[in-house]
Amino acid sequence: MIAVLLVILVVVPAVAAIVEWRNVAAGRAAHPMPGSLVDVGGHRLHVVKEGAGGPTVVFEAGSGEAASSWTTVADGLDRDATVVRYDRAGYGWSEASKAPRTGEQITTELHAALDSIGAPKPYVLVGHSLGGLYVREFARRYPVEVAGLVLVDARPEDDARRTASLLAGTTTATTLPPWIPATLKTFGLLRVAGGALLDGLVPAEQREEFLDVTAGSPGYFGAKQEEADLITGTEDAVRGQHLGDLPVRVIARGLPQDYASAGIDATTGAALERVWQDGQRRMLELSRDSRLMIAEHSGHLVPYEQPSIIIDAVREVLARPMPSRR
C-alpha cells in the first residue's frame, strides 16, 4: 500500500513534470524568439522591432498576453511605420524583474527599451485590455513623446470600483491565487484536453504557443498576478486624465463576454457588460479628438478576432496632424 501511495504521490507527478518540461522545450524550439533581448536596467525585455520610419507604433498587450498577441496587427502595419511589440517582464521570452510590477515601473521599462532600440519618436501607443491603462500612464508621464492612442477594449480606470458589488464573492480564473495555475502548468494539466481549461482566455489556435512560450517562464503567473494586484495605483494616476487634442481611438467589443463560462449568472453578466460598455464610451472624454469604433465581429480578444479594425484605427491616427496639448 505504501509503495502504491509513493507512486501516486511522487512518481506520477514527477513524470508529469518531466513530460511538461520536455513539451515546453520542444515548443520553444518550434517557436523561436522573433525579436531581441534589450537591457532595461537589471533585466532584459524581449522586443520585436519591424518596419521603418516614424512615428513608431508601440503595442502593449493585455493581462497575461505577450508580443505574439499582436503579430497579425503588426504585420498589417509594418509598411506604414516602425512597429514595436514586446513581452513585459516575466512574460514569454523576457526576463523577470525584481521591481514591483506597477504601471510606473512597466512604463519606465518600456520607455528605456524604446530608447535603447532607437525607435523613432513620437509614439502611437496601442493598448489592449489592461494594456490600455499602461499606455495611458505612458502618455501621462511622457506626453511630448506621444502622437496618439488606440485603446482596444481597454480596461476603464473605474471598472473595478463600479463592478465590485456585482462580483462580490465570485471566484473566476482571474481571481485564483497564482500558485494554482502555476501548479497546473508545471504538471501539464493546462495542456489536458487541448487546453480546455483555457477556454475564453486564450484562442484555441494560440494555446500551444501560450503554454510553451508566453507562460513558459517560471515567473509568468506571479508577474501576471502582481500586475493585477498593483493596477489600482495606475487607475488612480490616470483618473480625470485629459489629453487635449491628442488623437484617441476607442475600440469597443461588439460581442458580449461569455460570462456564463466564468460561472457568472446571466443577470450579473448583463450588468457587468453594461458597465464595461459605458466605460468604453466614457474614455471618449480623454481628448477633443476622440472617436468610438465598434468591433462588431469580436469579443474581448480583438487583436485575434478582428485585427483589421485596429489596423484601420492606427492608420487613422497616423494620418492626423501633431496634436496640441492645451
Side-chain angles (χ1 to χ4, degrees):
M1 180 63 71
I2 294 176
V4 173
L5 287 174
L6 284 174
V7 169
I8 294 173
L9 297 176
V10 178
V11 177
V12 171
V15 170
I18 291 171
V19 170
E20 176 63 14
W21 178 82
R22 289 180 174 174
N23 282 333
V24 169
R28 288 204 159 206
H31 299 92
M33 183 172 66
S36 57
L37 293 175
V38 177
D39 192 289
V40 294
H43 65 286
R44 297 179 299 171
L45 297 181
H46 170 233
V47 180
V48 184
K49 178 184 177 185
E50 299 163 307
T56 297
V57 181
V58 182
F59 297 100
E60 184 69 80
S63 176
E65 295 282 351
S68 58
S69 69
W70 292 112
T71 300
T72 302
V73 179
D75 287 348
L77 289 166
D78 60 8
R79 294 186 180 182
D80 298 80
T82 300
V83 294
V84 172
R85 49 196 173 97
Y86 81 112
D87 301 336
R88 290 195 293 274
Y91 285 26
W93 296 103
S94 288
E95 297 173 348
S97 170
K98 295 180 180 179
R101 308 317 301 150
T102 62
E104 181 177 3
Q105 180 63 32
I106 286 168
T107 53
T108 295
E109 292 171 1
L110 174 58
H111 189 260
L114 294 171
D115 276 349
S116 181
I117 64 174
K121 298 175 183 178
Y123 309 128
V124 172
L125 306 174
V126 185
H128 173 235
S129 194
L130 189 73
L133 286 167
Y134 294 144
V135 299
R136 289 177 59 186
E137 172 71 349
F138 192 106
R140 184 186 72 84
R141 298 184 65 210
Y142 309 105
V144 299
E145 299 180 24
V146 178
L149 298 181
V150 177
L151 303 173
V152 184
D153 214 38
R155 174 170 163 168
E157 64 269 32
D158 289 325
D159 188 70
R161 287 184 176 185
R162 298 177 68 196
T163 59
S165 61
L166 293 170
L167 292 171
T170 301
T171 299
T172 68
T174 59
T175 58
L176 291 173
W179 67 265
I180 294 179
T183 301
L184 294 174
K185 173 71 171 62
T186 297
F187 295 111
L189 296 176
L190 286 184
R191 206 179 292 268
V192 172
L197 290 176
L198 299 171
D199 284 351
L201 300 174
V202 181
E205 66 275 14
Q206 298 292 326
R207 288 176 189 170
E208 184 176 324
E209 183 174 358
F210 171 82
L211 290 167
D212 296 334
V213 180
T214 304
S217 167
Y220 167 80
F221 291 102
K224 179 177 180 290
Q225 185 62 50
E226 189 175 0
E227 289 178 356
D229 291 343
L230 298 178
I231 197 61
T232 303
T234 305
E235 292 172 332
D236 291 341
V238 301
R239 189 169 285 112
Q241 183 178 38
H242 196 275
L243 300 169
D245 293 324
L246 188 76
V248 175
R249 298 299 176 264
V250 177
I251 299 174
R253 63 184 179 235
L255 304 178
Q257 283 285 79
D258 181 8
Y259 294 100
S261 67
I264 297 172
D265 65 84
T267 300
T268 302
L272 291 170
E273 188 67 19
R274 284 194 297 271
V275 171
W276 183 268
Q277 291 292 347
D278 180 64
Q280 301 303 300
R281 286 148 182 82
R282 291 188 183 196
M283 286 189 286
L284 295 172
E285 299 172 8
L286 285 169
S287 170
R288 289 184 292 269
D289 183 2
S290 63
R291 187 166 81 87
L292 178 68
M293 303 172 71
I294 306 298
E296 295 187 359
H297 307 295
S298 178
H300 184 57
L301 300 179
V302 185
Y304 296 108
E305 297 172 0
Q306 200 173 337
S308 60
I309 195 171
I310 305 174
I311 293 170
D312 290 344
V314 171
R315 285 178 173 157
E316 189 173 297
V317 171
L318 288 172
R320 302 293 293 168
M322 286 298 295
S324 163
R325 296 307 176 92
R326 294 177 295 178

